[in-house]
Amino acid sequence: MNQTFNQLSNAIADAVAAVASSVVTVHGRRRRGASGVVWATKGAGEGASEGLVVTANHVVEREDNITVVTPAGEERTATLVGRDPAIDVALLRVEQAELTPAQWTDPGDLRVGQLVLAVARPDGTVQAALGALARVGGPWQHRGGGRFDLYLHADVTMYPGYSGGGLLAADGTLAGINSSALARGKNLTIPASTLQKSVDALLAHGHIPRAYLGVGVQTVQIQSGLIPDRDAATALMIMSVEADTPAAQAGLLQGDILYALHEQNLDHVEDLQLLLAEITAPTPVTAQILRGGNRQALTVELTVR
């Protein structure tokens, strides 16, 4: 029994040591550091290279004077490539540093009950906490507007500075990065598949071009027969229209019933949130509405908020 326990303990320590070279310290806020994970590098040859580091957006409070401490203890200046606050991700670029990209896993292959490790480096020294995967959930629409096709909740203690660090699977690869800001009272892991989409968009645009409409809505009952070929008994009433927004410019009014957008039916508020998160702006779409009991179609030029 002691030998088995010792072998397991050593295997866990070896797994942490193997991934530690890809976990860095991020100084982007006052008082204490946080963690980050090396996403990719290029230009390696003489030891120094340019690296991309993913971390949690909420730990990067400033736009400049951001520094990264490498696993070798070298402090390097980092520049902010962009933010994806809707899913709590920030992307940093670090130059002239010895960095090792992490190996990522498909989070969809993980199962509830499997052992996982939160690996972080908030103060320059690698740290780890052991637990089990409590939930593999999704899809989920975050209140900030971000959409997760899949998310992970690990029963792991995330100590201060662990945000931005990685969640290590039993095969020695990382399933994603950890965040303490996505859900109140709960630590969640942003999976590698979601990170990939965010990183690609940030590298291409410097921001996430999510579509913005500019209305406040609530779900309401609609009279049967008002909308042909529609089984749902609910749609969205526009409660407010912000000035100088795509909705205002298209002529949408308070009191309109919005029942479809971009050829997608809207039965609940979440339907609109999910749709806007998936549309790349700017782009024109058609809004199907009821106004005074009559159907109308308005063209809306969605923009980036």
Side-chain angles (χ1 to χ4, degrees), residues 10-23 71 100-103 117 119 121 126 168-174:
N10 286 332
I12 292 173
D14 290 344
V16 173
V19 78
S21 61
S22 300
V23 181
T100 303
Q103 297 296 314
L117 286 151
V119 182
R121 194 185 290 272
V126 68
L168 182 64
D171 64 357
T173 58
L174 293 180

Side-chain angles (χ1 to χ4, degrees), residues 3-296:
Q3 183 177 1
T4 300
F5 182 74
N6 187 55
Q7 290 174 343
L8 175 61
S9 180
N10 286 332
I12 292 173
D14 290 344
V16 173
V19 78
S21 61
S22 300
V23 181
V24 300
T25 304
V26 175
H27 291 292
R29 58 182 176 179
R30 295 180 182 179
R31 295 182 298 277
R32 65 177 186 271
S35 304
V37 179
V38 182
W39 180 263
T41 60
K42 69 176 183 178
E46 299 300 325
S49 64
E50 176 187 291
L52 295 174
V53 171
V54 288
T55 186
N57 178 62
H58 77 274
V59 305
V60 184
E61 296 176 348
R62 53 182 182 253
E63 299 289 318
D64 52 11
N65 297 322
I66 304 168
T67 59
V68 164
V69 180
T70 71
E74 300 172 332
E75 187 170 9
R76 293 288 185 266
T77 299
T79 56
L80 180 66
V81 177
R83 301 176 182 270
D84 189 352
I87 62 169
D88 196 30
V89 168
L91 182 64
L92 308 176
R93 178 176 282 111
V94 186
E95 296 182 359
Q96 298 300 310
E98 294 186 25
L99 298 171
T100 303
Q103 297 296 314
W104 302 90
T105 192
D106 182 355
D109 293 336
L110 300 181
R111 295 183 297 157
V112 171
Q114 287 183 321
L115 292 179
V116 290
L117 286 151
V119 182
R121 194 185 290 272
D123 60 2
T125 303
V126 68
Q127 300 179 24
L130 177 66
L133 196 59
R135 183 175 183 182
V136 179
W140 175 52
Q141 181 75 28
H142 181 242
R143 64 183 183 276
R147 174 183 169 83
F148 293 80
D149 294 325
L150 179 146
Y151 69 91
L152 307 171
H153 175 211
D155 183 20
V156 177
T157 301
M158 302 288 183
Y159 296 100
Y162 271 44
S163 280
L167 188 73
L168 182 64
D171 64 357
T173 58
L174 293 180
I177 64 170
N178 301 314
S179 170
S180 61
L182 283 172
R184 187 173 301 174
K186 184 185 298 184
N187 296 297
L188 298 180
T189 299
I190 306 157
S193 53
T194 301
L195 288 174
Q196 181 70 67
K197 297 176 184 177
S198 181
V199 168
D200 289 346
L202 291 175
L203 288 174
H205 307 286
H207 62 274
I208 304 300
R210 290 194 174 94
Y212 175 58
L213 182 58
V215 296
V217 297
Q218 74 175 34
T219 304
V220 295
Q221 298 287 325
I222 55 175
Q223 182 179 341
S224 177
L226 283 178
I227 306 173
D229 304 320
R230 181 79 181 275
D231 296 329
T234 59
L236 305 181
M237 175 176 282
I238 297 178
M239 308 303 294
S240 61
V241 179
E242 298 177 36
D244 300 322
T245 62
Q249 294 167 2
L252 290 171
L253 302 175
Q254 182 178 2
D256 286 344
I257 304 296
L258 179 63
Y259 65 87
L261 184 71
H262 201 41
E263 300 182 349
Q264 297 292 318
N265 290 337
L266 303 175
D267 302 332
H268 303 283
V269 175
E270 292 79 8
D271 296 336
L272 179 58
Q273 293 173 334
L274 289 171
L275 179 60
L276 291 176
E278 294 174 350
I279 296 176
T280 300
T283 186
V285 298
T286 300
Q288 302 285 345
I289 65 170
L290 289 173
R291 180 179 292 172
N294 298 316
R295 299 192 303 275
Q296 294 188 31

